[in-house]
Amino acid sequence: GKTLIVTGAASGIGAATAALAQRLGAHVLSVDIQRPAEVVGTFFQADLSDQASIDRLVAALPAGAHGLANIAGLPPTRPAEAVLKVNLVGLKYLTTQLVPKLADGAAIVNLASLAGLGWPEAQAQIHASATLDFDGVPAFCQAHGIEGARSYFFSKEALIVWTLQNRWTWRDRGIRMNAVSPGPVDTPILKDFIETLGARAEEDMKTMDRPGTPADIAPVVAFLLSDGSAWIRGTNVPTDGGMYANVLCQMH
Ligand code: NAI
């Protein structure tokens, strides 16, 4: 079986992905800041908002993993700087530090969001964040008006663009990267989105038959980590019960 690293494995979509990967025969390396109630595979504790903690994690993880699922994330109700660190700066740092230890042909999957699909309108901000590091986050938020829920949206916009931009970065080693963008999924943070977006979230939800569940997202991540998706590279896959199409069709 393959060895797969899953961040955010203690809850929601990450926990479902870790469990599915194990059922499919993978050896799972579960990463989270909190210990999962039921550990899948081997657990590594790390704070993905902290550079030194990520350095320790990268040193502790075994070499030769075949996949990395970047699923850990903070919701829009949390402090803007923490959201930007976990959802974007920490994710990018972990990935670039880990690539030299991954197996040739490895697949990377980033959990973005339907909240990131407005990226074409944010390209100046996204461009400015290209070299953003942990220490630079407070000044960046100040300079670009990244506060409140905007931090969440921005983190996902920039993550989608980063995924697309790095379609060929590790080409010589056959390493590829894709993103998955869920619509509203019933996990502990669904209430955070409804709290932040208010009436708009409720209107959007009404266009759907039901919210998603972690079991709707985990198989998509597993597919993008598998050899069957070898020719899928640098894409973002909305997985949303039709919500994005609803929004697009209402515009036409
Ligand atoms: P969740 O809150 O159930 O799970 C997130 C996990 O990330 C938790 O186990 C948490 O401990 C971990 N985490 C948070 N900060 C961390 C840190 N500093 N270091 C290490 N681990 C940390 O949330 P859910 O819904 O499973 O979210 C997973 C991903 O899916 C997130 O990136 C989220 O933005 C994204 N997403 C979720 C949607 C939803 O409606 N639930 C919709 C679209 C995207």
Side-chain angles (χ1 to χ4, degrees), residues 60-238:
L61 286 166
H66 305 94
L68 167 65
N70 284 312
I71 303 182
L74 287 178
T77 49
R78 301 295 293 277
E81 291 176 11
V83 171
L84 206 51
K85 283 184 186 172
V86 177
N87 295 10
L88 183 67
V89 180
L91 186 159
K92 287 167 63 174
Y93 185 74
L94 171 65
T95 303
T96 49
Q97 294 302 111
L98 203 55
V99 159
K101 282 186 93 165
L102 295 178
D104 288 350
I108 301 164
V109 177
N110 299 324
L111 251 288
S113 170
L114 226 52
L117 290 175
W119 64 264
E121 283 84 58
Q123 294 196 56
Q125 269 183 345
I126 293 168
H127 186 74
S129 75
T131 57
L132 180 61
D133 59 13
F134 292 91
D135 291 342
V137 165
F140 181 85
C141 289
Q142 276 259 297
H144 294 277
I146 306 286
E147 53 186 20
R150 175 68 195 135
S151 181
Y152 184 83
F153 282 75
F154 177 72
S155 71
K156 299 302 189 182
E157 290 163 356
L159 179 57
I160 290 171
V161 172
W162 188 69
T163 305
L164 273 55
Q165 283 172 334
N166 286 287
R167 62 205 174 278
W168 294 121
T169 304
W170 306 293
R171 170 184 221 160
D172 57 329
R173 298 194 42 224
I175 296 177
R176 63 198 170 84
M177 184 159 73
N178 291 289
V180 175
S181 282
V185 177
D186 194 1
T187 73
I189 66 175
L190 183 58
K191 63 175 183 344
D192 295 88
F193 297 111
I194 291 168
E195 197 180 314
T196 312
L197 300 170
R200 196 181 120 199
E202 277 161 36
E203 281 307 306
D204 286 348
M205 300 273 285
K206 270 187 217 152
T207 67
M208 312 171 69
D209 54 348
R210 61 170 175 84
T213 68
D216 291 314
I217 310 302
V220 182
V221 179
F223 170 63
L224 290 173
L225 291 173
S226 76
D227 295 340
S229 62
W231 213 47
I232 303 182
R233 172 186 289 270
T235 65
N236 174 47
V237 182

Side-chain angles (χ1 to χ4, degrees), residues 3-59:
T3 299
L4 302 177
I5 300 164
V6 179
T7 78
S11 177
I13 297 167
T17 301
L20 175 61
Q22 190 176 58
R23 282 204 299 283
L24 294 172
H27 177 221
V28 177
L29 308 177
S30 291
V31 176
D32 208 290
I33 195 168
Q34 51 169 333
R35 193 177 178 83
E38 279 175 58
V39 171
V40 174
T42 312
F43 176 62
F44 295 80
Q45 200 271 339
D47 177 357
L48 300 177
S49 71
D50 182 80
Q51 183 165 347
S53 182
I54 296 173
D55 288 337
R56 287 193 294 275
L57 172 67
V58 170

